[in-house]
């Protein structure tokens, strides 16, 4: 069965839209986009489109590729100090002459809509309330929507990035999954992935996961977005794997729309927290 991220995001976004309509003010997100990377431009456009549809305010500041890091720093500081701004998103990747770690640390963690700030990563590590990175959160929302149980399941994650692999593994652990994290230096990867009740592929290599790596009846979450000949291809060989699994996310229309849905939910959460303390 297909885990339809587009449909699920539409349903969850509709509910969120009703909540936003009830607010006195509108949650406001400021996106900083440096340069003109086509993938980043397209992600930013989707974020703007979805959040605007939900009645949220989204502004994009596009800075030239050649700008100094100081320009980005100044913008972040201004948004941190602006009480009308609830969320700040620094679209990655940044040009090589900018230090993304330092810039993310500069964002007020109470406005860190992506959940990448050390404070939010620490809150995740301690299983305390905070902003969770959007892609892992979107995956959880999708599994919950389809009532797929996690407790006691063996979850194998391929990839250990700070954006997807590592946080999603922790979130599965907090939901009582038995989690194995694998990566580029893992030996006998196939033997491990074949044990997965839930397999998450976050690698960045088109059609990397083949049928012989997957247990019959497993749930497969394909996070990968790879542009091949102008098409978006996942990390899982969908045609091979789909017939033998119980559930699988397609690419596109799987994890992608759920990530943006989770981002909008994060902005709403930040707004509520800030209103509480204002
Ligand atoms: P990354 O490059 O930071 O991390 C890739 C991970 O894959 C690394 O931890 C690495 O160890 C592992 N890996 C690489 N080769 C491997 C191999 N041969 N065997 C096992 N593991 C291997 O990438 P990322 O930021 O985590 O993104 C992963 C993919 O997910 C990319 O295609 C990216 O575009 C996509 N992505 C999608 C969304 C979404 O919204 N759907 C969000 C973020 C990232």
């Amino acid at each position: 069965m297909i885990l339809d991220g587009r449909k699920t995001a539409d349903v969850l976004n509709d509910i969120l839209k009703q909540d936003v309509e009830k607010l006195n003010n509108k949650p406001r997100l400021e996106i900083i986009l440096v340069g003109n990377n086509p993938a980043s431009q397209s992600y930013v456009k989707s974020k703007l489109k979805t959040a605007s549809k939900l009645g949220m305010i989204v502004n994009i500041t596009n800075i030239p590729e050649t700008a100094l890091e100081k320009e980005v720093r100044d913008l972040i500081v201004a948004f941190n100090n602006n009480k009308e701004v609830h969320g700040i998103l620094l679209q990655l990747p940044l040009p090589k002459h900018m230090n993304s770690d330092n810039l993310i640390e500069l964002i007020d963690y109470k406005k860190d809509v992506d959940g990448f700030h050390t404070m939010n990563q620490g809150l995740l590590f301690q299983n305390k309330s905070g902003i969770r990175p959007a892609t892992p959160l979107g995956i959880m929302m999708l599994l919950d929507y389809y009532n797929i149980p996690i407790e006691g399941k063996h979850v194998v994650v391929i990839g250990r990035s700070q954006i997807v692999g590592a946080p999603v593994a922790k979130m599965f652990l907090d939901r009582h999954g038995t989690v194995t994290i694998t990566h580029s230096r893992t030996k006998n990867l196939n033997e491990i992935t074949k044990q997965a009740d839930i397999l998450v592929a976050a690698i960045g290599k088109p059609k990397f996961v083949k049928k012989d790596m997957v247990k019959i009846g497993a749930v497969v979450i394909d996070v990968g977005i790879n542009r091949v000949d102008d098409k978006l291809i996942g990390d899982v060989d969908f045609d091979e794997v789909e017939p033998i699994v119980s559930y699988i996310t397609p690419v596109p229309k799987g994890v992608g729309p759920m990530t943006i849905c989770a981002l909008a939910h994060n902005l709403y959460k930040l707004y509520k927290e800030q209103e509480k303390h204002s």
Side-chain angles (χ1 to χ4, degrees):
M1 185 176 174
I2 303 291
L3 294 171
D4 189 332
R6 170 63 58 79
K7 194 191 85 186
T8 307
D10 283 348
V11 172
L12 299 178
N13 284 340
D14 269 349
I15 299 168
L16 182 60
K17 188 175 176 205
Q18 289 164 28
D19 291 336
V20 173
E21 273 164 12
K22 289 180 204 138
L23 302 173
N24 299 328
N25 281 318
K26 298 297 168 217
R28 175 171 152 194
L29 173 65
E30 292 291 338
I31 298 180
I32 304 170
L33 172 65
V34 186
N36 40 23
N37 173 331
S40 294
Q41 282 174 331
S42 127
Y43 293 143
V44 162
K45 231 199 254 167
S46 305
K47 289 166 189 173
L48 172 81
K49 200 172 135 197
T50 302
S52 308
K53 256 201 237 163
L54 302 183
M56 297 166 155
I57 300 165
V58 184
N59 299 315
I60 300 171
T61 308
N62 198 173
I63 298 182
E65 182 96 22
T66 49
L68 296 175
E69 187 174 308
K70 186 176 179 307
E71 269 186 63
V72 183
R73 297 183 74 87
D74 289 349
L75 258 184
I76 292 174
V77 171
F79 292 145
N80 280 345
N81 293 331
N82 186 342
K83 281 208 163 76
E84 282 163 24
V85 174
H86 305 99
I88 304 169
L89 188 153
L90 181 61
Q91 183 65 43
L92 302 176
L94 294 177
K96 285 203 178 70
H97 66 281
M98 293 189 188
N99 184 323
S100 44
D101 284 348
N102 288 350
L103 289 168
I104 287 168
E105 288 311 293
L106 192 64
I107 296 174
D108 179 348
Y109 82 94
K110 293 185 183 132
K111 298 189 179 188
D112 169 34
V113 73
D114 261 334
F116 294 162
H117 190 282
T118 304
M119 188 67 186
N120 278 313
Q121 299 259 352
L123 290 167
L124 167 62
F125 198 72
Q126 295 187 353
N127 194 15
K128 288 181 181 157
S129 174
I131 293 296
R132 303 298 190 236
T135 302
L137 179 61
I139 292 170
M140 294 299 162
M141 290 162 85
L142 185 63
L143 292 175
D144 288 344
Y145 182 79
Y146 281 89
N147 287 316
I148 294 171
I150 297 170
E151 185 171 335
K153 301 292 177 192
H154 186 187
V155 183
V156 176
V157 180
I158 317 177
R160 56 173 164 177
S161 74
Q162 288 305 316
I163 291 171
V164 190
V168 86
K170 180 62 172 58
M171 286 168 79
F172 275 113
L173 191 60
D174 294 337
R175 295 285 300 271
H176 312 295
T178 301
V179 181
T180 304
I181 306 175
T182 65
H183 47 80
S184 54
R185 306 207 191 163
T186 298
K187 297 208 168 75
N188 305 322
L189 182 66
N190 290 26
E191 284 169 28
I192 301 167
T193 58
K194 255 182 172 158
Q195 295 170 31
D197 301 311
I198 300 174
L199 180 63
V200 181
I203 313 151
K205 296 204 162 130
K207 297 190 182 184
F208 180 89
V209 175
K210 302 288 183 190
K211 189 173 144 190
D212 65 355
M213 296 171 72
V214 181
K215 181 160 92 175
I216 293 172
V219 175
V220 176
I221 306 293
D222 188 353
V223 185
I225 300 181
N226 307 286
R227 268 161 225 271
V228 182
D229 300 332
D230 258 6
K231 267 184 154 180
L232 296 184
I233 309 278
D235 286 346
V236 178
D237 191 331
F238 184 90
D239 293 338
E240 259 196 23
V241 171
E242 189 269 336
I244 67 157
V245 297
S246 59
Y247 292 96
I248 185 166
T249 59
V251 176
K253 298 184 183 170
V255 174
M258 288 308 299
T259 295
I260 296 176
C261 173
L263 191 79
H265 281 76
N266 276 349
L267 182 63
Y268 179 77
K269 186 171 173 173
L270 289 173
Y271 172 92
K272 289 294 247 186
E273 282 297 314
Q274 285 165 48
E275 287 292 289
K276 228 191 306 179
H277 297 110
S278 68

